[in-house]
Amino acid sequence: MTAIYPLDFAIVIWGIIGTYRIRQLIQLRAKRKYSNTPIVVTAIVFILVPIIVLRTNVAEYSAFGIIAVCAEIFWFAILVSRSGKFT
C-alpha cells in the first residue's frame, strides 16, 4: 500500500485552483474578446510549477502525485486547446 504525502494533496489542490483560474480567463475572453495569451501563460505556469517541485525533490511524493501531475498537464492542455471554441 502506498502512502499519500502532503505534496500529493497540494498537487490536487493546485489542479483545482488552476482549472478554476483557466476557466475564469476563458469566460473573460468570451465576454471581452481578449487574446489567448493570458490563458496560455496561466496554463504554462500551472503546468511548470508542479513539474519543477517534483523534479527538485522539495518534499516526498508518491506514485499518486506523479499520476496527478501528469493528469493535470493533460487537463490544462485540453482546457487551453478548447479555449478557442468558447468565443
Side-chain angles (χ1 to χ4, degrees):
M1 191 158 138
T2 305
I4 304 292
Y5 295 104
L7 184 59
D8 299 336
F9 290 116
I11 290 169
V12 172
I13 292 170
W14 183 257
I16 293 169
I17 292 169
T19 300
Y20 173 76
R21 183 65 185 142
I22 291 171
R23 285 188 177 181
Q24 192 177 39
L25 287 172
I26 290 170
Q27 289 174 352
L28 283 175
R29 180 178 176 258
K31 290 178 184 175
R32 298 188 185 149
K33 302 294 181 190
Y34 286 131
S35 67
N36 274 343
T37 305
I39 298 169
V40 172
V41 169
T42 303
I44 289 172
V45 168
F46 276 101
I47 287 171
L48 287 179
V49 168
I51 291 173
I52 292 169
V53 169
L54 289 179
R55 183 70 182 132
T56 58
N57 292 324
V58 173
E60 289 188 55
Y61 54 90
S62 66
F64 174 77
I66 295 171
I67 292 169
V69 167
C70 293
E72 285 178 11
I73 291 169
F74 285 112
W75 175 243
F76 293 151
I78 288 169
L79 280 177
V80 172
S81 68
R82 293 182 59 204
S83 69
K85 296 177 186 175
F86 294 116
T87 57

